[in-house]
Coordinates of all heavy atoms in Angstrom, one line a residue:
M1 N 11.4 28.0 -0.6 CA 11.9 27.8 -2.0 C 11.1 28.6 -2.9 O 9.9 28.6 -2.9 CB 11.8 26.3 -2.3 CG 12.3 26.0 -3.7 SD 12.4 24.2 -3.9 CE 13.4 24.1 -5.2
K2 N 11.8 29.4 -3.7 CA 11.1 30.3 -4.7 C 10.7 29.6 -5.9 O 11.4 28.7 -6.3 CB 12.1 31.5 -5.0 CG 12.3 32.4 -3.8 CD 13.2 33.5 -4.3 CE 13.5 34.4 -3.1 NZ 14.5 35.5 -3.4
F3 N 9.6 30.0 -6.5 CA 9.2 29.4 -7.8 C 10.0 30.0 -8.9 O 10.0 31.2 -9.1 CB 7.7 29.7 -8.0 CG 7.2 29.2 -9.3 CD1 7.1 27.8 -9.5 CD2 6.7 30.0 -10.2 CE1 6.6 27.3 -10.7 CE2 6.2 29.6 -11.4 CZ 6.2 28.2 -11.7
S4 N 10.7 29.2 -9.6 CA 11.5 29.6 -10.7 C 10.9 29.3 -12.1 O 11.4 29.7 -13.1 CB 12.9 29.0 -10.6 OG 12.8 27.6 -10.9
G5 N 9.9 28.5 -12.1 CA 9.3 28.0 -13.3 C 9.8 26.7 -13.7 O 9.3 26.0 -14.6
E6 N 11.0 26.3 -13.1 CA 11.6 25.0 -13.5 C 10.9 23.8 -12.8 O 10.7 22.8 -13.4 CB 13.0 25.0 -13.1 CG 13.7 23.6 -13.4 CD 15.1 23.6 -13.0 OE1 15.7 24.6 -12.6 OE2 15.7 22.5 -12.9
R7 N 10.5 24.0 -11.6 CA 9.8 22.9 -10.8 C 8.6 23.4 -10.2 O 8.5 24.6 -9.9 CB 10.8 22.2 -9.8 CG 11.2 23.1 -8.7 CD 12.3 22.4 -7.8 NE 13.5 22.2 -8.5 CZ 14.1 21.0 -8.8 NH1 13.5 19.9 -8.6 NH2 15.2 21.0 -9.5
F8 N 7.7 22.5 -9.9 CA 6.4 22.8 -9.3 C 6.6 23.1 -7.8 O 7.3 22.3 -7.1 CB 5.4 21.6 -9.5 CG 4.1 21.8 -8.8 CD1 3.2 22.8 -9.2 CD2 3.9 21.1 -7.6 CE1 2.0 22.9 -8.5 CE2 2.7 21.3 -6.9 CZ 1.7 22.2 -7.4
V9 N 6.0 24.1 -7.3 CA 6.1 24.5 -5.9 C 4.6 24.8 -5.5 O 4.0 25.7 -6.0 CB 7.0 25.7 -5.6 CG1 7.0 26.0 -4.1 CG2 8.4 25.5 -6.1
P10 N 4.1 23.9 -4.6 CA 2.7 24.2 -4.2 C 2.5 25.6 -3.6 O 3.4 26.2 -3.0 CB 2.5 23.1 -3.0 CG 3.4 22.1 -3.3 CD 4.6 22.8 -3.9
N11 N 1.3 26.1 -3.9 CA 0.9 27.5 -3.5 C 1.7 28.6 -4.2 O 1.4 29.8 -3.9 CB 1.0 27.6 -2.0 CG 0.1 26.6 -1.3 OD1 -1.0 26.3 -1.7 ND2 0.6 26.0 -0.2
L12 N 2.7 28.3 -5.0 CA 3.4 29.3 -5.7 C 3.2 29.2 -7.2 O 3.6 30.0 -8.0 CB 4.9 29.3 -5.4 CG 5.2 29.6 -4.0 CD1 6.8 29.6 -3.8 CD2 4.7 31.0 -3.5
S13 N 2.6 28.1 -7.6 CA 2.4 27.8 -9.1 C 0.9 28.0 -9.4 O 0.1 28.2 -8.5 CB 2.7 26.3 -9.3 OG 4.1 26.0 -9.0
E14 N 0.6 28.1 -10.7 CA -0.8 28.3 -11.1 C -1.7 27.2 -10.5 O -1.3 26.1 -10.4 CB -0.8 28.3 -12.6 CG -0.1 29.4 -13.3 CD -0.2 29.3 -14.8 OE1 -1.1 28.7 -15.3 OE2 0.7 30.0 -15.4
R15 N -2.9 27.6 -10.2 CA -3.9 26.6 -9.6 C -4.1 25.4 -10.5 O -4.2 24.3 -10.0 CB -5.2 27.4 -9.3 CG -6.2 26.5 -8.6 CD -7.1 27.3 -7.8 NE -8.0 26.5 -7.0 CZ -7.7 25.9 -5.8 NH1 -6.5 26.1 -5.3 NH2 -8.6 25.2 -5.2
E16 N -4.3 25.6 -11.8 CA -4.5 24.5 -12.7 C -3.3 23.5 -12.7 O -3.5 22.3 -12.7 CB -4.8 24.9 -14.1 CG -6.1 25.7 -14.3 CD -5.9 27.2 -13.9 OE1 -4.8 27.7 -13.8 OE2 -6.9 27.8 -13.6
L17 N -2.1 24.0 -12.7 CA -0.9 23.2 -12.6 C -0.8 22.5 -11.3 O -0.5 21.3 -11.2 CB 0.3 24.1 -12.8 CG 1.7 23.4 -12.9 CD1 1.7 22.5 -14.1 CD2 2.8 24.5 -13.1
M18 N -1.2 23.2 -10.2 CA -1.2 22.6 -8.9 C -2.2 21.4 -8.8 O -1.8 20.3 -8.4 CB -1.6 23.6 -7.8 CG -1.5 23.0 -6.4 SD -1.7 24.3 -5.2 CE -3.4 24.1 -4.8
T19 N -3.4 21.5 -9.4 CA -4.3 20.4 -9.4 C -3.8 19.2 -10.2 O -3.9 18.1 -9.7 CB -5.7 20.9 -10.0 OG1 -6.1 22.0 -9.3 CG2 -6.7 19.8 -10.1
E20 N -3.2 19.5 -11.3 CA -2.6 18.4 -12.1 C -1.5 17.7 -11.4 O -1.5 16.4 -11.3 CB -2.0 19.0 -13.4 CG -1.4 17.9 -14.3 CD -0.7 18.5 -15.5 OE1 -1.1 19.6 -15.9 OE2 0.2 17.8 -16.0
H21 N -0.6 18.4 -10.8 CA 0.5 17.7 -10.1 C 0.1 17.0 -8.8 O 0.5 15.8 -8.6 CB 1.6 18.8 -9.7 CG 2.5 19.1 -10.8 ND1 3.7 18.6 -10.9 CD2 2.3 19.9 -11.9 CE1 4.3 19.1 -12.0 NE2 3.5 19.9 -12.6
L22 N -0.8 17.5 -8.0 CA -1.3 16.9 -6.9 C -2.1 15.6 -7.2 O -2.0 14.6 -6.6 CB -2.2 17.8 -6.0 CG -1.4 19.0 -5.4 CD1 -2.4 19.9 -4.7 CD2 -0.3 18.5 -4.5
H23 N -2.9 15.7 -8.3 CA -3.7 14.5 -8.7 C -2.8 13.3 -9.1 O -3.2 12.2 -8.8 CB -4.5 14.9 -9.9 CG -5.3 13.8 -10.5 ND1 -6.4 13.3 -9.8 CD2 -5.2 13.0 -11.6 CE1 -6.9 12.3 -10.5 NE2 -6.2 12.1 -11.6
R24 N -1.6 13.6 -9.6 CA -0.7 12.5 -10.0 C -0.4 11.7 -8.7 O -0.3 10.5 -8.8 CB 0.6 13.1 -10.6 CG 0.4 13.7 -11.9 CD 1.7 14.3 -12.4 NE 1.4 15.0 -13.7 CZ 2.3 15.7 -14.3 NH1 3.6 15.8 -13.8 NH2 2.1 16.4 -15.4
Y25 N -0.1 12.3 -7.6 CA 0.2 11.6 -6.4 C -1.0 11.0 -5.7 O -0.9 9.8 -5.3 CB 1.0 12.5 -5.4 CG 2.4 12.8 -5.9 CD1 2.8 13.9 -6.6 CD2 3.4 11.8 -5.6 CE1 4.1 14.0 -7.0 CE2 4.7 12.0 -6.0 CZ 5.0 13.1 -6.7 OH 6.3 13.3 -7.1
Y26 N -2.1 11.7 -5.6 CA -3.3 11.2 -5.0 C -3.8 10.0 -5.7 O -4.4 9.1 -5.2 CB -4.3 12.3 -4.8 CG -4.0 13.2 -3.7 CD1 -3.8 14.6 -3.9 CD2 -3.9 12.8 -2.4 CE1 -3.5 15.5 -2.9 CE2 -3.6 13.7 -1.3 CZ -3.4 15.0 -1.6 OH -3.1 15.9 -0.6
S27 N -3.6 10.0 -7.1 CA -4.2 8.9 -7.9 C -3.5 7.6 -7.6 O -4.0 6.5 -7.9 CB -4.2 9.2 -9.3 OG -2.9 9.3 -9.8
V28 N -2.2 7.6 -7.1 CA -1.5 6.4 -6.8 C -1.3 6.1 -5.4 O -0.8 5.1 -5.0 CB -0.1 6.4 -7.5 CG1 -0.2 6.5 -9.0 CG2 0.8 7.5 -6.9
A29 N -1.9 6.9 -4.5 CA -1.7 6.7 -3.1 C -2.2 5.4 -2.6 O -1.5 4.8 -1.7 CB -2.5 7.9 -2.3
N30 N -3.3 4.8 -3.1 CA -3.7 3.5 -2.6 C -2.8 2.4 -3.0 O -2.7 1.3 -2.4 CB -5.1 3.2 -3.1 CG -6.2 4.1 -2.4 OD1 -5.9 4.5 -1.2 ND2 -7.2 4.4 -3.0
F31 N -2.0 2.6 -4.1 CA -1.1 1.5 -4.6 C 0.1 1.4 -3.8 O 0.8 0.4 -3.8 CB -0.7 1.8 -6.1 CG -1.9 1.7 -7.0 CD1 -2.4 2.9 -7.6 CD2 -2.5 0.5 -7.3 CE1 -3.5 2.8 -8.5 CE2 -3.6 0.4 -8.2 CZ -4.1 1.6 -8.8
V32 N 0.5 2.4 -3.0 CA 1.7 2.4 -2.2 C 1.5 2.0 -0.7 O 2.4 2.0 0.1 CB 2.5 3.8 -2.3 CG1 2.8 4.1 -3.7 CG2 1.7 4.9 -1.6
K33 N 0.2 1.7 -0.4 CA -0.1 1.4 1.0 C 0.8 0.3 1.5 O 1.0 -0.8 1.0 CB -1.5 0.9 1.1 CG -2.0 0.6 2.5 CD -3.5 0.4 2.6 CE -4.0 0.0 4.0 NZ -3.5 0.8 5.1
D34 N 1.5 0.6 2.7 CA 2.4 -0.3 3.4 C 3.6 -0.8 2.5 O 4.1 -1.8 2.8 CB 1.6 -1.5 3.9 CG 0.5 -1.1 4.9 OD1 0.7 -0.1 5.6 OD2 -0.5 -1.7 4.9
K35 N 4.0 0.0 1.6 CA 5.2 -0.3 0.7 C 6.3 0.7 0.9 O 6.1 1.8 1.4 CB 4.8 -0.3 -0.8 CG 3.8 -1.4 -1.1 CD 3.5 -1.4 -2.6 CE 2.4 -2.5 -2.8 NZ 2.0 -2.6 -4.2
T36 N 7.5 0.3 0.5 CA 8.6 1.2 0.5 C 8.7 1.7 -0.9 O 8.7 1.0 -1.9 CB 9.9 0.4 0.8 OG1 9.8 -0.2 2.2 CG2 11.1 1.3 0.8
V37 N 8.7 3.1 -1.0 CA 8.5 3.7 -2.3 C 9.7 4.7 -2.6 O 10.2 5.3 -1.7 CB 7.2 4.6 -2.3 CG1 7.0 5.3 -3.5 CG2 6.0 3.7 -1.9
L38 N 10.1 4.8 -3.9 CA 11.0 5.7 -4.3 C 10.3 6.8 -5.2 O 9.6 6.4 -6.1 CB 12.1 5.1 -5.2 CG 13.1 6.0 -5.9 CD1 13.9 6.8 -4.8 CD2 14.0 5.3 -6.8
D39 N 10.4 8.0 -4.8 CA 9.8 9.1 -5.5 C 11.0 9.8 -6.3 O 11.7 10.6 -5.8 CB 9.2 10.1 -4.6 CG 8.5 11.3 -5.3 OD1 8.3 11.2 -6.6 OD2 8.1 12.2 -4.7
A40 N 11.2 9.3 -7.5 CA 12.3 9.8 -8.4 C 12.0 11.2 -8.9 O 10.8 11.4 -9.4 CB 12.6 8.8 -9.5
A41 N 12.9 12.1 -8.9 CA 12.7 13.5 -9.3 C 11.6 14.1 -8.4 O 10.6 14.7 -8.8 CB 12.3 13.6 -10.8
S42 N 11.9 14.0 -7.1 CA 10.9 14.4 -6.1 C 10.7 15.9 -6.0 O 9.8 16.4 -5.3 CB 11.2 13.8 -4.7 OG 12.5 14.3 -4.3
G43 N 11.6 16.7 -6.6 CA 11.4 18.1 -6.5 C 11.4 18.6 -5.1 O 12.3 18.2 -4.3
E44 N 10.5 19.5 -4.7 CA 10.6 20.1 -3.4 C 9.9 19.3 -2.3 O 10.0 19.6 -1.2 CB 10.0 21.5 -3.4 CG 8.5 21.6 -3.7 CD 7.6 21.5 -2.4 OE1 7.7 22.3 -1.5 OE2 6.9 20.5 -2.4
G45 N 9.4 18.1 -2.7 CA 9.0 17.1 -1.7 C 7.5 16.9 -1.4 O 7.2 16.0 -0.7
Y46 N 6.7 17.7 -2.0 CA 5.2 17.6 -1.7 C 4.7 16.3 -2.0 O 3.9 15.7 -1.3 CB 4.4 18.7 -2.4 CG 4.3 18.5 -3.9 CD1 3.2 17.8 -4.4 CD2 5.3 18.9 -4.8 CE1 3.2 17.5 -5.8 CE2 5.2 18.7 -6.1 CZ 4.2 18.0 -6.6 OH 4.1 17.7 -7.9
G47 N 5.1 15.7 -3.1 CA 4.6 14.4 -3.5 C 5.1 13.3 -2.6 O 4.3 12.3 -2.3
T48 N 6.3 13.3 -2.2 CA 6.9 12.4 -1.2 C 6.0 12.4 0.0 O 5.7 11.4 0.6 CB 8.3 12.7 -0.9 OG1 9.1 12.7 -2.2 CG2 9.0 11.7 0.0
F49 N 5.7 13.6 0.5 CA 4.9 13.7 1.7 C 3.5 13.1 1.5 O 3.0 12.4 2.4 CB 4.7 15.2 2.1 CG 3.9 15.4 3.3 CD1 4.5 15.2 4.5 CD2 2.6 15.8 3.2 CE1 3.7 15.4 5.7 CE2 1.8 16.0 4.3 CZ 2.4 15.8 5.6
I50 N 2.9 13.3 0.4 CA 1.6 12.7 0.1 C 1.6 11.2 0.2 O 0.8 10.6 0.8 CB 1.0 13.2 -1.3 CG1 0.6 14.7 -1.2 CG2 -0.2 12.4 -1.7 CD1 0.3 15.3 -2.6
L51 N 2.6 10.7 -0.5 CA 2.8 9.2 -0.5 C 3.1 8.7 0.9 O 2.7 7.6 1.2 CB 3.9 8.8 -1.5 CG 3.7 9.1 -3.0 CD1 4.9 8.8 -3.8 CD2 2.4 8.5 -3.5
S52 N 3.8 9.4 1.7 CA 4.2 9.0 3.1 C 2.9 8.8 4.0 O 3.0 8.1 5.0 CB 5.1 10.0 3.7 OG 4.5 11.1 4.2
E53 N 1.8 9.4 3.6 CA 0.6 9.2 4.4 C 0.0 7.8 4.2 O -0.8 7.4 5.0 CB -0.5 10.3 3.9 CG -0.1 11.7 4.2 CD 0.0 12.0 5.7 OE1 -0.9 11.7 6.4 OE2 1.1 12.6 6.0
H54 N 0.5 7.1 3.2 CA 0.0 5.7 2.9 C 1.1 4.7 3.0 O 0.9 3.5 3.4 CB -0.7 5.7 1.6 CG -1.7 6.7 1.4 ND1 -3.0 6.5 1.9 CD2 -1.7 8.0 1.0 CE1 -3.8 7.6 1.6 NE2 -3.0 8.5 1.1
A55 N 2.3 5.1 2.6 CA 3.4 4.1 2.4 C 4.1 3.9 3.8 O 4.0 4.7 4.7 CB 4.4 4.7 1.4
L56 N 4.8 2.7 3.8 CA 5.6 2.4 5.0 C 6.8 3.4 5.1 O 7.1 3.9 6.1 CB 6.2 1.0 4.8 CG 7.0 0.4 6.0 CD1 6.2 0.4 7.3 CD2 7.5 -1.0 5.6
H57 N 7.5 3.6 4.0 CA 8.6 4.6 3.9 C 8.7 5.1 2.5 O 8.5 4.4 1.5 CB 9.9 3.9 4.3 CG 11.0 4.9 4.4 ND1 11.8 5.3 3.3 CD2 11.4 5.7 5.4 CE1 12.7 6.2 3.7 NE2 12.5 6.5 5.0
V58 N 9.1 6.4 2.3 CA 9.2 7.0 1.0 C 10.6 7.7 1.0 O 10.9 8.5 1.9 CB 8.1 8.0 0.7 CG1 8.3 8.5 -0.8 CG2 6.8 7.4 0.8
T59 N 11.4 7.4 0.0 CA 12.6 8.2 -0.3 C 12.4 9.0 -1.5 O 12.0 8.6 -2.6 CB 13.8 7.2 -0.5 OG1 14.0 6.4 0.6 CG2 15.1 8.0 -0.8
G60 N 12.6 10.3 -1.3 CA 12.6 11.3 -2.4 C 14.0 11.5 -2.9 O 14.9 11.7 -2.1
I61 N 14.2 11.5 -4.2 CA 15.5 11.8 -4.7 C 15.4 12.8 -5.8 O 14.5 12.8 -6.6 CB 16.2 10.5 -5.3 CG1 17.6 10.8 -5.8 CG2 15.4 9.8 -6.4 CD1 18.5 9.6 -6.2
D62 N 16.3 13.8 -5.8 CA 16.3 14.9 -6.8 C 17.7 15.3 -7.0 O 18.5 15.2 -6.1 CB 15.4 16.0 -6.3 CG 15.0 16.9 -7.5 OD1 15.8 17.9 -7.8 OD2 13.9 16.7 -8.0
N63 N 18.0 15.9 -8.2 CA 19.4 16.3 -8.4 C 19.7 17.7 -7.9 O 20.8 18.1 -7.8 CB 19.7 16.3 -10.0 CG 18.8 17.2 -10.8 OD1 17.9 17.8 -10.3 ND2 19.1 17.3 -12.0
S64 N 18.7 18.4 -7.5 CA 18.8 19.8 -6.9 C 19.1 19.8 -5.4 O 18.2 19.4 -4.6 CB 17.6 20.6 -7.2 OG 17.6 21.8 -6.5
Q65 N 20.2 20.3 -5.0 CA 20.6 20.4 -3.6 C 19.6 21.3 -2.9 O 19.1 21.1 -1.8 CB 22.0 20.9 -3.4 CG 22.4 21.0 -2.0 CD 22.4 19.7 -1.2 OE1 22.6 18.6 -1.8 NE2 22.2 19.8 0.1
E66 N 19.2 22.4 -3.6 CA 18.2 23.4 -3.0 C 16.9 22.7 -2.7 O 16.3 22.9 -1.7 CB 18.0 24.5 -4.0 CG 17.0 25.5 -3.4 CD 16.6 26.6 -4.4 OE1 16.9 26.5 -5.7 OE2 16.1 27.6 -4.0
A67 N 16.4 21.9 -3.7 CA 15.2 21.2 -3.5 C 15.2 20.2 -2.3 O 14.3 20.1 -1.5 CB 14.7 20.4 -4.8
I68 N 16.3 19.5 -2.2 CA 16.5 18.5 -1.1 C 16.6 19.2 0.2 O 15.9 18.7 1.2 CB 17.8 17.6 -1.4 CG1 17.6 16.8 -2.6 CG2 18.1 16.8 -0.2 CD1 16.4 15.8 -2.6
V69 N 17.3 20.3 0.3 CA 17.3 21.0 1.6 C 15.9 21.5 2.0 O 15.5 21.3 3.1 CB 18.3 22.2 1.5 CG1 18.2 23.1 2.7 CG2 19.8 21.7 1.4
H70 N 15.2 22.1 1.0 CA 13.9 22.5 1.3 C 13.0 21.4 1.7 O 12.2 21.5 2.7 CB 13.3 23.2 0.0 CG 11.9 23.5 0.1 ND1 11.4 24.7 0.7 CD2 10.8 22.8 -0.3 CE1 10.1 24.7 0.6 NE2 9.7 23.5 0.0
A71 N 13.1 20.3 1.0 CA 12.2 19.1 1.3 C 12.5 18.6 2.7 O 11.5 18.3 3.5 CB 12.4 18.0 0.3
K72 N 13.7 18.5 3.1 CA 14.1 18.0 4.5 C 13.5 18.9 5.5 O 13.1 18.5 6.6 CB 15.6 17.9 4.6 CG 16.2 16.7 3.9 CD 17.7 16.6 4.0 CE 18.3 15.4 3.4 NZ 19.7 15.3 3.5
L73 N 13.6 20.2 5.3 CA 13.1 21.2 6.3 C 11.6 21.3 6.3 O 11.0 21.5 7.4 CB 13.6 22.6 6.0 CG 15.1 22.8 6.1 CD1 15.6 24.1 5.6 CD2 15.5 22.6 7.6
T74 N 10.9 21.1 5.2 CA 9.5 21.3 5.1 C 8.7 20.0 5.4 O 7.6 20.0 6.0 CB 9.1 21.7 3.6 OG1 9.9 22.9 3.4 CG2 7.6 22.1 3.5
Y75 N 9.2 18.8 5.0 CA 8.5 17.6 5.1 C 9.2 16.6 6.0 O 9.6 15.5 5.5 CB 8.2 17.0 3.7 CG 7.5 18.0 2.8 CD1 8.2 18.6 1.8 CD2 6.2 18.3 3.0 CE1 7.5 19.5 0.9 CE2 5.5 19.1 2.1 CZ 6.2 19.8 1.1 OH 5.5 20.6 0.3
N76 N 9.5 17.0 7.2 CA 10.3 16.1 8.1 C 9.4 15.2 8.8 O 8.6 15.5 9.7 CB 11.0 17.0 9.1 CG 11.9 16.3 10.0 OD1 12.2 15.1 9.8 ND2 12.3 17.0 11.1
K77 N 9.4 13.9 8.4 CA 8.7 12.8 9.1 C 9.5 11.6 9.2 O 10.5 11.4 8.4 CB 7.4 12.4 8.2 CG 6.3 13.4 8.2 CD 5.2 12.9 7.3 CE 4.6 11.6 7.8 NZ 3.4 11.2 7.0
S78 N 9.2 10.7 10.2 CA 10.0 9.6 10.4 C 10.0 8.6 9.3 O 11.0 7.8 9.1 CB 9.6 8.9 11.7 OG 8.2 8.4 11.6
N79 N 9.0 8.6 8.4 CA 9.0 7.6 7.3 C 9.3 8.2 6.0 O 9.0 7.7 4.9 CB 7.6 6.9 7.2 CG 6.5 7.8 6.8 OD1 6.5 9.0 7.0 ND2 5.5 7.2 6.1
I80 N 10.1 9.3 6.0 CA 10.5 10.0 4.8 C 12.0 10.3 4.9 O 12.5 10.6 5.9 CB 9.8 11.4 4.6 CG1 8.3 11.3 4.3 CG2 10.5 12.2 3.5 CD1 7.6 12.6 4.2
S81 N 12.7 10.0 3.8 CA 14.1 10.5 3.6 C 14.2 11.1 2.3 O 13.5 10.8 1.3 CB 15.0 9.3 3.8 OG 14.8 8.3 2.9
F82 N 15.1 12.1 2.2 CA 15.4 12.8 1.0 C 16.9 12.7 0.7 O 17.7 12.9 1.6 CB 15.0 14.3 1.0 CG 13.5 14.5 1.0 CD1 12.9 14.7 2.2 CD2 12.8 14.4 -0.1 CE1 11.5 14.9 2.2 CE2 11.4 14.6 -0.1 CZ 10.8 14.9 1.1
I83 N 17.3 12.4 -0.5 CA 18.7 12.4 -0.9 C 18.9 13.1 -2.2 O 18.0 13.1 -3.1 CB 19.2 10.9 -1.0 CG1 18.4 10.1 -2.0 CG2 19.2 10.3 0.4 CD1 19.0 8.7 -2.2
Q84 N 20.1 13.7 -2.4 CA 20.4 14.3 -3.6 C 21.0 13.2 -4.5 O 21.9 12.4 -4.1 CB 21.4 15.4 -3.5 CG 21.7 16.1 -4.8 CD 22.7 17.3 -4.6 OE1 23.3 17.5 -3.5 NE2 22.9 18.0 -5.7
G85 N 20.6 13.1 -5.8 CA 21.2 12.2 -6.7 C 20.4 12.2 -8.0 O 19.5 12.9 -8.2
S86 N 21.0 11.4 -8.9 CA 20.4 11.4 -10.3 C 19.5 10.2 -10.5 O 19.9 9.1 -10.1 CB 21.6 11.3 -11.3 OG 21.1 11.1 -12.6
V87 N 18.4 10.4 -11.2 CA 17.5 9.2 -11.5 C 18.2 8.4 -12.6 O 17.7 7.2 -12.8 CB 16.1 9.7 -11.9 CG1 15.4 10.4 -10.8 CG2 16.2 10.5 -13.2
E88 N 19.2 8.9 -13.2 CA 19.9 8.1 -14.2 C 21.0 7.1 -13.6 O 21.5 6.2 -14.3 CB 20.6 9.0 -15.2 CG 19.6 9.8 -16.1 CD 20.3 10.8 -17.0 OE1 21.4 11.2 -16.7 OE2 19.6 11.2 -18.0
N89 N 21.3 7.4 -12.3 CA 22.3 6.6 -11.6 C 21.8 6.4 -10.2 O 22.4 7.0 -9.3 CB 23.6 7.2 -11.7 CG 24.7 6.3 -11.2 OD1 24.5 5.1 -11.0 ND2 25.8 6.9 -10.8
L90 N 20.7 5.7 -9.9 CA 20.1 5.6 -8.6 C 21.1 4.9 -7.6 O 21.7 3.9 -8.0 CB 18.8 4.8 -8.7 CG 17.7 5.5 -9.5 CD1 16.5 4.6 -9.6 CD2 17.3 6.8 -8.8
P91 N 21.2 5.5 -6.4 CA 22.1 4.9 -5.4 C 21.5 3.7 -4.6 O 21.5 3.7 -3.4 CB 22.4 6.1 -4.5 CG 21.2 6.9 -4.6 CD 20.7 6.7 -6.0
F92 N 20.9 2.8 -5.3 CA 20.2 1.7 -4.7 C 20.6 0.4 -5.5 O 20.8 0.5 -6.7 CB 18.7 1.8 -4.7 CG 18.2 3.1 -4.1 CD1 17.8 4.2 -4.9 CD2 18.1 3.2 -2.7 CE1 17.3 5.4 -4.3 CE2 17.7 4.4 -2.1 CZ 17.3 5.5 -2.9
S93 N 20.6 -0.7 -4.8 CA 20.8 -2.0 -5.4 C 19.6 -2.3 -6.3 O 18.5 -1.9 -6.1 CB 21.1 -3.1 -4.4 OG 20.0 -3.2 -3.6
D94 N 19.9 -3.1 -7.4 CA 18.9 -3.6 -8.2 C 17.8 -4.3 -7.5 O 18.1 -5.0 -6.5 CB 19.4 -4.5 -9.3 CG 20.3 -3.7 -10.3 OD1 20.2 -2.5 -10.3 OD2 21.0 -4.4 -11.1
K95 N 16.5 -4.1 -7.9 CA 15.4 -4.8 -7.3 C 15.2 -4.5 -5.8 O 14.6 -5.3 -5.1 CB 15.4 -6.3 -7.6 CG 15.4 -6.6 -9.1 CD 15.5 -8.1 -9.3 CE 15.6 -8.4 -10.8 NZ 15.7 -9.8 -11.1
S96 N 15.7 -3.4 -5.4 CA 15.5 -3.0 -3.9 C 14.2 -2.3 -3.7 O 13.6 -1.9 -4.7 CB 16.7 -2.2 -3.5 OG 16.7 -1.0 -4.2

C-alpha cells in the first residue's frame, strides 16, 4: 500500500508520526487482554495486529477497500478479521 498522506502506513510515514501512532496502540494493549475488540477506522491494519497480540480476537473495520485488502494480506492471523464498512453504521448488534 502506497503512502498517500491520507492514512498512516508504517515505515512509509515520518518517524515522529510513526512513534505517535504506534504508541496509541501499545498504550492500550494491556486493556484488551483476552477481550474481543473492534478497531474502528483500522486503516492498513498495523494497530489491529498490535492489539491481536493481547486480545482474544480483533476486528478491524475501515471504509477503504484498498486498506482492507492490504490488511488482510499483510496481517493474516487466526484471531484477526478485517471488514470494509463505516464507523457511522457499524455492522454489529448493539452491546456486542
Side-chain angles (χ1 to χ4, degrees):
M1 181 172 198
K2 294 180 181 177
F3 177 67
S4 67
E6 179 183 347
R7 65 184 72 247
F8 174 74
V9 179
N11 301 321
L12 297 180
S13 300
E14 294 178 20
R15 184 152 185 84
E16 293 81 18
L17 187 60
M18 184 169 97
T19 301
E20 176 186 338
H21 278 260
L22 294 176
H23 178 72
R24 292 176 185 176
Y25 284 96
Y26 285 119
S27 68
V28 299
N30 288 332
F31 295 108
V32 303
K33 184 169 175 49
D34 300 324
K35 294 182 181 176
T36 300
V37 177
L38 174 63
D39 184 12
S42 59
E44 67 87 63
Y46 71 92
T48 304
F49 180 79
I50 291 169
L51 296 177
S52 76
E53 296 294 312
H54 306 274
L56 182 64
H57 187 270
V58 184
T59 299
I61 184 171
D62 198 272
N63 64 351
S64 167
Q65 180 64 29
E66 179 187 17
I68 294 300
V69 168
H70 172 83
K72 286 180 177 180
L73 293 172
T74 306
Y75 305 106
N76 184 14
K77 284 180 63 179
S78 63
N79 70 330
I80 294 178
S81 58
F82 290 101
I83 57 173
Q84 183 181 8
S86 171
V87 298
E88 294 176 339
N89 187 21
L90 295 172
F92 303 102
S93 59
D94 290 346
K95 300 180 184 178
S96 62

